[in-house]
Amino acid sequence: MKYLYRSAIAALFIIFVACDGSSGSNNTMLALAALTAQQQGIQFSAVVGDSNADCGEDISGHGDSQSSSVTIQHVAGVMPIGLKDLRFYVSEFELVDQNDNVVDLDVPNTGIWQYGGVTLLDFENGKGSCSGTAETNNFVQTSVENKTYKTVRFTVGVPETLNHIDYNNAPSPLNISGLTWGWTMGYRFFVGEFLSNDAATLGNAAVLHIGSTGCSESGGVYTCTNSNRSVIEITPTEGFNPYTQKIQFDLKKAVAGWDISSGSLSCHSMGAMDSNCSTVYPNFGLDYSTGNAGSVAQTVFAVVSK
Amino acid sequence: MNKYITFSLLFLLFLQCTQLGLEKEKSSGSEGILLLLGTSPSEGTPYTWNLPAGFPKPKVPSDNPITVEKVELGRFLFYDTRLSENETQSCGSCHKQADAFTDGLVVSVGSTGQSHPRNAQHLSNVAYNLRQTWANPLLKKLEDQARVPMFGDNPVELGMKDREDLLLERLQNDPDYVSKFKAAFPNDQNPFSVLNITKALSSFQRTLISGNSAYDKYQAGDLSALSASAIRGKNLFFGERAECFHCHGGFNFTDTVLHTGTVFEEVTFHNNGLDSSRFVSPNGGLYEFTFQESDRGKFRAPSLRNVELTAPYMHDGSIPDLLSVINHYTNGGTGDGTTNPNRDVFVRNFSLSESEKQDLVEFLKSLTDTEFIANPKFEDPF
């Protein structure tokens, strides 16, 4: 009963704050975030190496050590970067328990971040060099038990059944112009962009956009030769408990192999025209030539403590 | 139990917000119900086509019937620089009426200064296009195409990605648009939406019909409308020596058209023998979508209506004038394009005298419709 009152007060508070029409969406998000703490689900975070992937400030401390004999440049080495965009769709969540039972997670429609089993994770807040909107989301709201699972699985992407819907009329989060890809009548599953804030290479940018390509349409049915959906499977030795652990995305690992110290780099998932893609796709466990997942182990997501 | 309570309270919250009209995009659910009941709501004054002789009726998407009010709203939106994030460009910036709605540039430049990989297409008779843009097989409707310049970021054209709220706010704050949107979308509780912007823009673009050139007058029986040279050029154009008509045939001088009588939608893209250096990223042509090597360098044959006004030519604007285009074709292509395995079978070396080339140019110039480029209905209203 106590919980009911608490929820009722919280929800009423939200209705008043969110619906007076003048207080803007920030309050809605704050109030929702407050409520999220009580919700079940899977939490995400985003980092760039040792630093949080935060908008509006220099992100540094992510470069690998350089010596006279070894220079490994990740996120263009040690240069400070500014985040421009970091958003991606996740879907098809599964947990595998200790008895190898596979639990399909039901991801409800929330009207904002979740629709059709797809959640938009949004780590840009429109501040500083970041594009997009002030609202952010690091949470997949879904019913999960407080226990340790063997494996967590999910897909980075919008399932094919939703990938070519009319996004003019689609519910949120499938109607956001920064994630829709009008040119291919589909979605960008992953959008990660940053630029160098280093004086010597100021403005050199990295742009990574992943979405299905090689698409044709006939009679309203789309067929894409390259799915480009990463299937992420994490089996930590200590297991995964969604109540105590979260899934961490590392932008540094996502662009491992890219060096923007000598010029901008981009991958728009457009086949052989995008030679830079083949360097970074394997970081997501994707084969760039086929767009298939599973050919190599992904390195961009890991389970960490909350 | 607790979670259900929380969820139902959250559900209530969203219900509340919807009732308070805070949802961003209008649902078209009510229209659907009305259609099911067989009582299609009036969407304004039906637009009456005033088509040139021999022109079939354009096919209009069933979810966007063309009305006078939408066309009028679309004309304002088309020329409104508020459609670009930094308020420097409109659709009309790259599609100028005096140039038959292209921009005269080799490749267009977006609102932030970024060059587009492609030459801006003219918009004469765009209502009849089976596919929009140079090589995208997926962009069929103008409504879908309109999203690309507005929200695309590779390249940035109008730069409105993630700025829908700003865009709608700008328009909503203009009383003139309040009445225009209401008139154009009388059944919508809140007519301001991205979808309605694309519907209005498309409606206006569909009215850009050009069919009153000297050639059309000649076809209609005014034999004095074409010079002797243009007539010789016409015979070359439609003859088996030059064979231009294979890709540029029919009333719209292209090989892919859509109208109400279209039963079979034949979609064709051609490699016209340009040097393969013209097909480098991001100008792979149809290949960009199919990843088939045999599609590399294949582009849509544009309508030749008003072609005199739409220089420079080809997808990348690489050919400056009509005589150079004809030389490109008589040569069977340019550079290594002459030996490209994808080269269209109709692009092959053939000979024309210099005067014959001039005749062809004269014929192409006879497709210029001066009434079209001076029509006040298409003019910038600002």
Short mmCIF file of all heavy atoms in Angstrom, two decimals, chain A residues 3-4 8 14 18-19 39 87 110 132 141 167-169 177-178 180 183-185 188 209 213-215 217 268 271-273, chain B residues 2 5 7 9-10 13-14 17 20 22 25 136 138-140 144 147 151 153-154 161-164 195 281 287-289 291:
data_model
loop_
_atom_site.label_atom_id
_atom_site.label_comp_id
_atom_site.label_asym_id
_atom_site.label_seq_id
_atom_site.Cartn_x
_atom_site.Cartn_y
_atom_site.Cartn_z
N TYR A 3 3.63 1.63 -1.25
CA TYR A 3 4.20 1.80 -2.60
C TYR A 3 3.18 2.47 -3.53
O TYR A 3 3.53 3.33 -4.33
CB TYR A 3 4.59 0.43 -3.15
CG TYR A 3 5.53 0.52 -4.30
CD1 TYR A 3 6.91 0.48 -4.07
CD2 TYR A 3 5.07 0.66 -5.60
CE1 TYR A 3 7.78 0.57 -5.12
CE2 TYR A 3 5.94 0.76 -6.64
CZ TYR A 3 7.30 0.71 -6.40
OH TYR A 3 8.18 0.81 -7.45
N LEU A 4 1.94 2.06 -3.35
CA LEU A 4 0.88 2.63 -4.17
C LEU A 4 0.80 4.15 -3.99
O LEU A 4 0.76 4.91 -4.95
CB LEU A 4 -0.47 1.99 -3.81
CG LEU A 4 -1.71 2.66 -4.41
CD1 LEU A 4 -1.71 2.54 -5.92
CD2 LEU A 4 -2.98 2.01 -3.86
N ALA A 8 1.52 6.90 -6.72
CA ALA A 8 0.43 7.81 -7.08
C ALA A 8 0.88 9.26 -6.96
O ALA A 8 0.65 10.08 -7.85
CB ALA A 8 -0.77 7.56 -6.16
N ILE A 14 4.02 14.23 -11.74
CA ILE A 14 4.45 14.29 -13.14
C ILE A 14 3.37 14.90 -14.01
O ILE A 14 3.62 15.75 -14.85
CB ILE A 14 4.79 12.88 -13.65
CG1 ILE A 14 6.06 12.38 -12.96
CG2 ILE A 14 5.01 12.90 -15.16
CD1 ILE A 14 6.32 10.92 -13.18
N ALA A 18 4.24 17.93 -16.01
CA ALA A 18 4.46 17.68 -17.43
C ALA A 18 3.37 18.26 -18.30
O ALA A 18 3.61 18.58 -19.45
CB ALA A 18 4.55 16.18 -17.67
N CYS A 19 2.19 18.39 -17.77
CA CYS A 19 1.08 18.70 -18.64
C CYS A 19 0.59 20.15 -18.55
O CYS A 19 -0.40 20.48 -19.18
CB CYS A 19 -0.09 17.75 -18.38
SG CYS A 19 0.36 16.06 -18.75
N GLN A 39 11.88 1.74 -11.31
CA GLN A 39 11.42 0.82 -12.34
C GLN A 39 12.40 -0.31 -12.54
O GLN A 39 13.59 -0.17 -12.29
CB GLN A 39 11.25 1.57 -13.66
CG GLN A 39 10.05 2.48 -13.67
CD GLN A 39 10.02 3.31 -14.92
OE1 GLN A 39 11.00 3.37 -15.65
NE2 GLN A 39 8.90 3.95 -15.16
N ARG A 87 23.57 8.06 -30.01
CA ARG A 87 22.23 7.50 -29.82
C ARG A 87 22.16 6.17 -30.55
O ARG A 87 22.73 6.04 -31.64
CB ARG A 87 21.16 8.44 -30.41
CG ARG A 87 20.92 9.68 -29.62
CD ARG A 87 19.90 10.59 -30.28
NE ARG A 87 20.47 11.39 -31.35
CZ ARG A 87 19.81 12.31 -32.02
NH1 ARG A 87 18.54 12.54 -31.76
NH2 ARG A 87 20.40 13.01 -32.98
N THR A 110 6.20 2.86 -24.19
CA THR A 110 6.12 3.87 -23.13
C THR A 110 5.67 5.23 -23.66
O THR A 110 5.47 6.16 -22.88
CB THR A 110 7.48 4.07 -22.44
OG1 THR A 110 8.41 4.54 -23.43
CG2 THR A 110 7.99 2.77 -21.84
N GLY A 132 20.93 17.26 -31.34
CA GLY A 132 19.77 16.58 -30.77
C GLY A 132 19.06 17.41 -29.73
O GLY A 132 19.05 18.63 -29.78
N GLN A 141 13.27 -0.09 -20.05
CA GLN A 141 12.27 -0.44 -19.04
C GLN A 141 11.65 -1.78 -19.40
O GLN A 141 11.01 -1.95 -20.43
CB GLN A 141 11.21 0.65 -19.00
CG GLN A 141 10.16 0.44 -17.93
CD GLN A 141 8.99 1.37 -18.13
OE1 GLN A 141 9.18 2.57 -18.40
NE2 GLN A 141 7.78 0.86 -18.04
N TYR A 167 7.70 6.68 -40.94
CA TYR A 167 8.11 7.35 -39.71
C TYR A 167 7.47 8.72 -39.52
O TYR A 167 7.57 9.31 -38.47
CB TYR A 167 9.63 7.42 -39.53
CG TYR A 167 10.44 7.64 -40.78
CD1 TYR A 167 10.27 8.76 -41.56
CD2 TYR A 167 11.39 6.71 -41.15
CE1 TYR A 167 11.03 8.93 -42.70
CE2 TYR A 167 12.15 6.87 -42.28
CZ TYR A 167 11.97 7.99 -43.05
OH TYR A 167 12.72 8.16 -44.17
N ASN A 168 6.78 9.19 -40.53
CA ASN A 168 5.98 10.41 -40.33
C ASN A 168 4.88 10.17 -39.32
O ASN A 168 4.50 11.06 -38.58
CB ASN A 168 5.32 10.83 -41.65
CG ASN A 168 6.29 11.54 -42.55
OD1 ASN A 168 6.88 12.54 -42.16
ND2 ASN A 168 6.50 11.01 -43.73
N ASN A 169 4.36 8.95 -39.31
CA ASN A 169 3.24 8.63 -38.43
C ASN A 169 3.63 7.70 -37.30
O ASN A 169 2.79 7.29 -36.53
CB ASN A 169 2.11 7.99 -39.24
CG ASN A 169 1.42 8.99 -40.12
OD1 ASN A 169 1.07 10.07 -39.66
ND2 ASN A 169 1.25 8.67 -41.37
N SER A 177 13.94 12.73 -36.23
CA SER A 177 14.57 12.97 -37.53
C SER A 177 16.06 12.63 -37.52
O SER A 177 16.61 12.22 -38.53
CB SER A 177 14.36 14.41 -37.97
OG SER A 177 15.01 15.31 -37.09
N GLY A 178 16.71 12.78 -36.37
CA GLY A 178 18.13 12.47 -36.30
C GLY A 178 18.44 10.99 -36.42
O GLY A 178 19.58 10.60 -36.65
N THR A 180 16.02 8.83 -38.13
CA THR A 180 15.45 8.32 -39.37
C THR A 180 16.44 8.57 -40.50
O THR A 180 17.26 9.48 -40.44
CB THR A 180 14.12 9.02 -39.71
OG1 THR A 180 14.34 10.43 -39.79
CG2 THR A 180 13.07 8.72 -38.66
N TRP A 183 16.95 8.86 -46.78
CA TRP A 183 17.58 8.46 -48.04
C TRP A 183 17.38 6.98 -48.32
O TRP A 183 17.31 6.56 -49.47
CB TRP A 183 19.07 8.81 -47.98
CG TRP A 183 19.82 8.66 -49.25
CD1 TRP A 183 20.91 7.86 -49.46
CD2 TRP A 183 19.58 9.32 -50.51
NE1 TRP A 183 21.35 7.97 -50.75
CE2 TRP A 183 20.56 8.87 -51.41
CE3 TRP A 183 18.64 10.25 -50.94
CZ2 TRP A 183 20.62 9.30 -52.73
CZ3 TRP A 183 18.70 10.68 -52.26
CH2 TRP A 183 19.67 10.22 -53.14
N THR A 184 17.30 6.18 -47.25
CA THR A 184 17.11 4.73 -47.45
C THR A 184 15.74 4.27 -46.98
O THR A 184 15.48 3.08 -46.93
CB THR A 184 18.17 3.91 -46.69
OG1 THR A 184 17.99 4.15 -45.28
CG2 THR A 184 19.57 4.27 -47.09
N MET A 185 14.87 5.21 -46.62
CA MET A 185 13.53 4.87 -46.13
C MET A 185 13.62 3.93 -44.93
O MET A 185 12.82 3.01 -44.77
CB MET A 185 12.68 4.24 -47.25
CG MET A 185 12.46 5.15 -48.44
SD MET A 185 11.44 6.59 -48.06
CE MET A 185 9.83 5.84 -47.98
N ARG A 188 18.61 4.87 -38.86
CA ARG A 188 20.00 4.67 -38.47
C ARG A 188 19.95 4.00 -37.10
O ARG A 188 19.38 4.54 -36.16
CB ARG A 188 20.71 6.01 -38.40
CG ARG A 188 20.79 6.65 -39.76
CD ARG A 188 21.77 7.77 -39.79
NE ARG A 188 21.17 8.99 -39.29
CZ ARG A 188 21.53 10.19 -39.72
NH1 ARG A 188 22.48 10.30 -40.61
NH2 ARG A 188 20.97 11.26 -39.23
N HIS A 209 27.66 5.99 -38.63
CA HIS A 209 26.21 5.76 -38.76
C HIS A 209 26.01 4.33 -39.25
O HIS A 209 26.50 3.97 -40.32
CB HIS A 209 25.59 6.70 -39.79
CG HIS A 209 25.60 8.14 -39.39
ND1 HIS A 209 25.27 9.16 -40.24
CD2 HIS A 209 25.90 8.74 -38.21
CE1 HIS A 209 25.37 10.33 -39.62
NE2 HIS A 209 25.75 10.09 -38.38
N THR A 213 21.51 -1.53 -45.26
CA THR A 213 21.76 -0.98 -46.59
C THR A 213 21.63 -2.09 -47.64
O THR A 213 21.38 -3.24 -47.30
CB THR A 213 23.15 -0.34 -46.69
OG1 THR A 213 24.11 -1.25 -46.14
CG2 THR A 213 23.21 0.97 -45.94
N GLY A 214 21.83 -1.71 -48.86
CA GLY A 214 21.60 -2.65 -49.95
C GLY A 214 20.11 -2.95 -50.06
O GLY A 214 19.72 -4.08 -50.30
N CYS A 215 19.29 -1.92 -49.85
CA CYS A 215 17.85 -2.14 -49.75
C CYS A 215 17.16 -1.87 -51.09
O CYS A 215 17.45 -0.90 -51.77
CB CYS A 215 17.23 -1.24 -48.69
SG CYS A 215 17.94 -1.49 -47.05
N GLU A 217 13.02 -2.24 -52.94
CA GLU A 217 11.61 -2.30 -52.55
C GLU A 217 10.80 -2.78 -53.72
O GLU A 217 11.05 -2.39 -54.86
CB GLU A 217 11.15 -0.90 -52.11
CG GLU A 217 9.73 -0.80 -51.66
CD GLU A 217 8.77 -0.42 -52.77
OE1 GLU A 217 9.23 -0.12 -53.89
OE2 GLU A 217 7.57 -0.45 -52.54
N HIS A 268 29.08 5.62 -43.36
CA HIS A 268 27.63 5.75 -43.47
C HIS A 268 26.97 4.45 -43.92
O HIS A 268 25.86 4.47 -44.44
CB HIS A 268 27.27 6.89 -44.43
CG HIS A 268 27.76 8.23 -43.97
ND1 HIS A 268 27.09 8.99 -43.05
CD2 HIS A 268 28.88 8.93 -44.29
CE1 HIS A 268 27.77 10.12 -42.83
NE2 HIS A 268 28.86 10.10 -43.56
N GLY A 271 28.17 0.56 -48.24
CA GLY A 271 28.87 -0.39 -49.10
C GLY A 271 30.31 0.00 -49.38
O GLY A 271 30.95 0.67 -48.58
N ALA A 272 30.79 -0.41 -50.54
CA ALA A 272 32.20 -0.20 -50.84
C ALA A 272 32.58 1.26 -50.92
O ALA A 272 33.75 1.62 -50.92
CB ALA A 272 32.55 -0.89 -52.15
N MET A 273 31.58 2.14 -50.97
CA MET A 273 31.88 3.57 -50.98
C MET A 273 32.44 4.02 -49.63
O MET A 273 33.04 5.06 -49.52
CB MET A 273 30.62 4.36 -51.24
CG MET A 273 29.99 4.05 -52.57
SD MET A 273 28.73 5.24 -52.96
CE MET A 273 27.98 5.50 -51.41
N ASN B 2 3.10 -3.93 -7.60
CA ASN B 2 3.51 -2.52 -7.57
C ASN B 2 3.82 -2.00 -8.97
O ASN B 2 3.44 -0.89 -9.33
CB ASN B 2 4.74 -2.35 -6.69
CG ASN B 2 4.38 -2.48 -5.22
OD1 ASN B 2 3.21 -2.30 -4.88
ND2 ASN B 2 5.34 -2.79 -4.40
N ILE B 5 0.81 -1.04 -10.88
CA ILE B 5 0.25 0.24 -10.43
C ILE B 5 1.04 1.38 -11.08
O ILE B 5 0.49 2.31 -11.66
CB ILE B 5 0.29 0.35 -8.89
CG1 ILE B 5 -0.65 -0.69 -8.30
CG2 ILE B 5 -0.09 1.75 -8.44
CD1 ILE B 5 -0.44 -0.97 -6.84
N PHE B 7 2.84 1.29 -13.78
CA PHE B 7 2.61 1.33 -15.22
C PHE B 7 1.27 1.98 -15.54
O PHE B 7 1.15 2.79 -16.44
CB PHE B 7 2.65 -0.08 -15.82
CG PHE B 7 4.04 -0.63 -15.92
CD1 PHE B 7 4.27 -1.99 -15.97
CD2 PHE B 7 5.14 0.22 -15.96
CE1 PHE B 7 5.55 -2.49 -16.06
CE2 PHE B 7 6.42 -0.27 -16.05
CZ PHE B 7 6.63 -1.63 -16.09
N LEU B 9 -0.38 4.05 -13.78
CA LEU B 9 -0.33 5.48 -13.50
C LEU B 9 0.41 6.20 -14.63
O LEU B 9 0.01 7.26 -15.08
CB LEU B 9 0.37 5.74 -12.17
CG LEU B 9 -0.52 5.44 -10.94
CD1 LEU B 9 0.32 5.44 -9.67
CD2 LEU B 9 -1.64 6.46 -10.83
N LEU B 10 1.48 5.57 -15.10
CA LEU B 10 2.21 6.17 -16.21
C LEU B 10 1.32 6.25 -17.44
O LEU B 10 1.32 7.23 -18.17
CB LEU B 10 3.45 5.33 -16.53
CG LEU B 10 4.70 5.68 -15.74
CD1 LEU B 10 5.80 4.69 -16.04
CD2 LEU B 10 5.15 7.09 -16.07
N LEU B 13 -0.86 9.04 -17.21
CA LEU B 13 -0.12 10.27 -17.49
C LEU B 13 -0.13 10.56 -18.98
O LEU B 13 -0.42 11.66 -19.42
CB LEU B 13 1.31 10.12 -16.96
CG LEU B 13 2.37 11.00 -17.61
CD1 LEU B 13 2.17 12.46 -17.23
CD2 LEU B 13 3.75 10.54 -17.21
N PHE B 14 0.18 9.52 -19.79
CA PHE B 14 0.29 9.76 -21.23
C PHE B 14 -1.08 10.06 -21.82
O PHE B 14 -1.22 10.86 -22.72
CB PHE B 14 0.95 8.56 -21.91
CG PHE B 14 2.38 8.43 -21.49
CD1 PHE B 14 2.85 7.27 -20.92
CD2 PHE B 14 3.25 9.50 -21.62
CE1 PHE B 14 4.17 7.18 -20.51
CE2 PHE B 14 4.56 9.42 -21.20
CZ PHE B 14 5.02 8.25 -20.65
N CYS B 17 -1.74 13.62 -21.14
CA CYS B 17 -0.99 14.52 -22.00
C CYS B 17 -1.60 14.57 -23.39
O CYS B 17 -1.66 15.61 -24.02
CB CYS B 17 0.47 14.08 -22.10
SG CYS B 17 1.38 14.47 -20.61
N LEU B 20 -4.50 16.68 -23.43
CA LEU B 20 -4.13 18.09 -23.33
C LEU B 20 -3.46 18.60 -24.61
O LEU B 20 -3.04 19.73 -24.68
CB LEU B 20 -3.21 18.31 -22.14
CG LEU B 20 -3.90 18.19 -20.79
CD1 LEU B 20 -2.88 18.17 -19.67
CD2 LEU B 20 -4.88 19.32 -20.58
N LEU B 22 -0.64 17.59 -26.03
CA LEU B 22 0.80 17.80 -25.98
C LEU B 22 1.57 16.86 -26.90
O LEU B 22 2.78 16.92 -26.99
CB LEU B 22 1.32 17.60 -24.54
CG LEU B 22 0.86 18.69 -23.56
CD1 LEU B 22 1.45 18.44 -22.19
CD2 LEU B 22 1.27 20.06 -24.05
N GLU B 25 3.03 14.75 -32.88
CA GLU B 25 2.50 14.56 -34.22
C GLU B 25 1.05 14.09 -34.14
O GLU B 25 0.71 13.22 -33.37
CB GLU B 25 3.34 13.52 -34.97
CG GLU B 25 4.77 13.99 -35.13
CD GLU B 25 5.17 14.12 -36.58
OE1 GLU B 25 4.40 13.71 -37.43
OE2 GLU B 25 6.26 14.64 -36.83
N ASN B 136 18.14 7.07 -56.63
CA ASN B 136 17.62 6.36 -55.46
C ASN B 136 16.35 5.59 -55.84
O ASN B 136 15.32 6.20 -56.15
CB ASN B 136 17.31 7.35 -54.34
CG ASN B 136 17.01 6.66 -53.03
OD1 ASN B 136 16.49 5.54 -53.03
ND2 ASN B 136 17.32 7.31 -51.93
N LEU B 138 14.51 3.94 -53.92
CA LEU B 138 13.58 3.85 -52.79
C LEU B 138 12.69 5.07 -52.66
O LEU B 138 11.62 5.00 -52.07
CB LEU B 138 14.37 3.66 -51.49
CG LEU B 138 15.29 2.44 -51.45
CD1 LEU B 138 16.13 2.46 -50.19
CD2 LEU B 138 14.48 1.16 -51.52
N LEU B 139 13.14 6.21 -53.18
CA LEU B 139 12.37 7.44 -53.03
C LEU B 139 11.37 7.57 -54.17
O LEU B 139 11.70 8.02 -55.26
CB LEU B 139 13.30 8.65 -52.98
CG LEU B 139 14.12 8.77 -51.70
CD1 LEU B 139 15.11 9.92 -51.79
CD2 LEU B 139 13.23 8.94 -50.48
N LYS B 140 10.15 7.15 -53.88
CA LYS B 140 9.12 7.15 -54.91
C LYS B 140 8.26 8.40 -54.81
O LYS B 140 8.02 9.07 -55.79
CB LYS B 140 8.24 5.91 -54.75
CG LYS B 140 9.02 4.62 -54.91
CD LYS B 140 8.28 3.43 -54.35
CE LYS B 140 7.39 2.78 -55.38
NZ LYS B 140 6.82 1.51 -54.85
N ASP B 144 8.11 11.59 -49.47
CA ASP B 144 9.28 10.96 -48.84
C ASP B 144 10.56 11.71 -49.18
O ASP B 144 11.44 11.89 -48.35
CB ASP B 144 9.40 9.50 -49.29
CG ASP B 144 8.24 8.65 -48.80
OD1 ASP B 144 7.74 8.93 -47.69
OD2 ASP B 144 7.82 7.73 -49.52
N ARG B 147 11.74 14.84 -47.15
CA ARG B 147 12.43 14.70 -45.87
C ARG B 147 13.95 14.75 -46.02
O ARG B 147 14.66 15.12 -45.08
CB ARG B 147 12.04 13.38 -45.20
CG ARG B 147 10.61 13.31 -44.74
CD ARG B 147 10.38 12.03 -43.99
NE ARG B 147 11.17 11.96 -42.78
CZ ARG B 147 10.69 12.21 -41.56
NH1 ARG B 147 9.44 12.50 -41.38
NH2 ARG B 147 11.48 12.12 -40.52
N PHE B 151 15.98 17.02 -43.49
CA PHE B 151 16.56 16.37 -42.31
C PHE B 151 17.87 15.64 -42.58
O PHE B 151 18.50 15.15 -41.65
CB PHE B 151 15.54 15.40 -41.71
CG PHE B 151 14.26 16.08 -41.31
CD1 PHE B 151 13.05 15.74 -41.89
CD2 PHE B 151 14.27 17.09 -40.36
CE1 PHE B 151 11.88 16.37 -41.54
CE2 PHE B 151 13.10 17.73 -39.99
CZ PHE B 151 11.90 17.38 -40.58
N ASP B 153 21.75 14.75 -43.27
CA ASP B 153 22.99 15.37 -42.79
C ASP B 153 24.20 14.89 -43.57
O ASP B 153 25.33 15.13 -43.17
CB ASP B 153 23.17 15.13 -41.29
CG ASP B 153 23.40 13.67 -40.96
OD1 ASP B 153 23.24 12.82 -41.86
OD2 ASP B 153 23.73 13.38 -39.80
N ASN B 154 23.97 14.18 -44.65
CA ASN B 154 25.09 13.68 -45.43
C ASN B 154 24.73 13.74 -46.91
O ASN B 154 24.39 12.75 -47.51
CB ASN B 154 25.38 12.22 -45.01
CG ASN B 154 26.56 11.65 -45.78
OD1 ASN B 154 27.51 12.35 -46.07
ND2 ASN B 154 26.48 10.37 -46.12
N LYS B 161 17.76 18.47 -39.17
CA LYS B 161 17.82 17.24 -38.38
C LYS B 161 17.73 17.56 -36.89
O LYS B 161 18.45 18.44 -36.41
CB LYS B 161 19.14 16.51 -38.67
CG LYS B 161 19.25 15.16 -38.01
CD LYS B 161 20.63 14.56 -38.18
CE LYS B 161 21.58 15.08 -37.11
NZ LYS B 161 22.79 14.26 -36.96
N ASP B 162 16.85 16.88 -36.20
CA ASP B 162 16.63 17.08 -34.76
C ASP B 162 16.06 18.47 -34.43
O ASP B 162 16.11 18.91 -33.29
CB ASP B 162 17.93 16.87 -33.96
CG ASP B 162 18.36 15.42 -33.94
OD1 ASP B 162 17.49 14.56 -33.77
OD2 ASP B 162 19.57 15.15 -34.11
N ARG B 163 15.58 19.16 -35.42
CA ARG B 163 15.05 20.50 -35.18
C ARG B 163 13.59 20.61 -35.60
O ARG B 163 13.12 21.68 -35.97
CB ARG B 163 15.87 21.54 -35.96
CG ARG B 163 17.32 21.65 -35.57
CD ARG B 163 17.49 22.39 -34.26
NE ARG B 163 18.87 22.49 -33.87
CZ ARG B 163 19.54 21.60 -33.14
NH1 ARG B 163 18.91 20.51 -32.72
NH2 ARG B 163 20.79 21.77 -32.83
N GLU B 164 12.87 19.50 -35.52
CA GLU B 164 11.45 19.55 -35.91
C GLU B 164 10.69 20.56 -35.07
O GLU B 164 9.84 21.29 -35.56
CB GLU B 164 10.77 18.19 -35.73
CG GLU B 164 11.31 17.10 -36.59
CD GLU B 164 12.17 16.16 -35.79
OE1 GLU B 164 12.99 16.65 -34.98
OE2 GLU B 164 12.03 14.94 -35.97
N LEU B 195 4.73 15.84 -41.32
CA LEU B 195 4.01 15.14 -42.38
C LEU B 195 3.23 16.11 -43.25
O LEU B 195 3.28 16.04 -44.48
CB LEU B 195 3.07 14.10 -41.76
CG LEU B 195 2.23 13.30 -42.76
CD1 LEU B 195 3.10 12.50 -43.71
CD2 LEU B 195 1.27 12.37 -42.03
N SER B 281 32.73 7.48 -54.84
CA SER B 281 31.92 7.82 -53.68
C SER B 281 31.77 9.33 -53.54
O SER B 281 32.73 10.07 -53.68
CB SER B 281 32.61 7.28 -52.43
OG SER B 281 31.95 7.72 -51.27
N TYR B 287 24.26 1.62 -57.74
CA TYR B 287 25.12 0.75 -56.94
C TYR B 287 25.05 1.06 -55.45
O TYR B 287 25.16 0.16 -54.62
CB TYR B 287 26.56 0.90 -57.45
CG TYR B 287 27.61 0.33 -56.52
CD1 TYR B 287 27.89 -1.03 -56.53
CD2 TYR B 287 28.31 1.16 -55.64
CE1 TYR B 287 28.83 -1.55 -55.66
CE2 TYR B 287 29.25 0.64 -54.78
CZ TYR B 287 29.50 -0.71 -54.80
OH TYR B 287 30.43 -1.21 -53.94
N GLU B 288 24.85 2.33 -55.13
CA GLU B 288 24.77 2.73 -53.73
C GLU B 288 23.66 1.99 -52.98
O GLU B 288 23.69 1.90 -51.76
CB GLU B 288 24.46 4.23 -53.62
CG GLU B 288 25.62 5.11 -53.96
CD GLU B 288 25.19 6.57 -53.93
OE1 GLU B 288 24.33 6.93 -53.11
OE2 GLU B 288 25.70 7.33 -54.77
N PHE B 289 22.69 1.51 -53.72
CA PHE B 289 21.54 0.87 -53.08
C PHE B 289 21.55 -0.63 -53.25
O PHE B 289 21.04 -1.35 -52.41
CB PHE B 289 20.24 1.47 -53.62
CG PHE B 289 20.18 2.94 -53.36
CD1 PHE B 289 20.70 3.85 -54.27
CD2 PHE B 289 19.68 3.41 -52.16
CE1 PHE B 289 20.71 5.20 -53.99
CE2 PHE B 289 19.68 4.76 -51.88
CZ PHE B 289 20.20 5.66 -52.80
N PHE B 291 24.46 -2.50 -54.24
CA PHE B 291 25.81 -3.05 -54.04
C PHE B 291 26.20 -4.01 -55.17
O PHE B 291 27.07 -4.84 -55.02
CB PHE B 291 25.93 -3.76 -52.69
CG PHE B 291 25.76 -2.85 -51.50
CD1 PHE B 291 25.47 -3.37 -50.25
CD2 PHE B 291 25.89 -1.48 -51.63
CE1 PHE B 291 25.30 -2.54 -49.14
CE2 PHE B 291 25.72 -0.64 -50.53
CZ PHE B 291 25.43 -1.17 -49.29
#
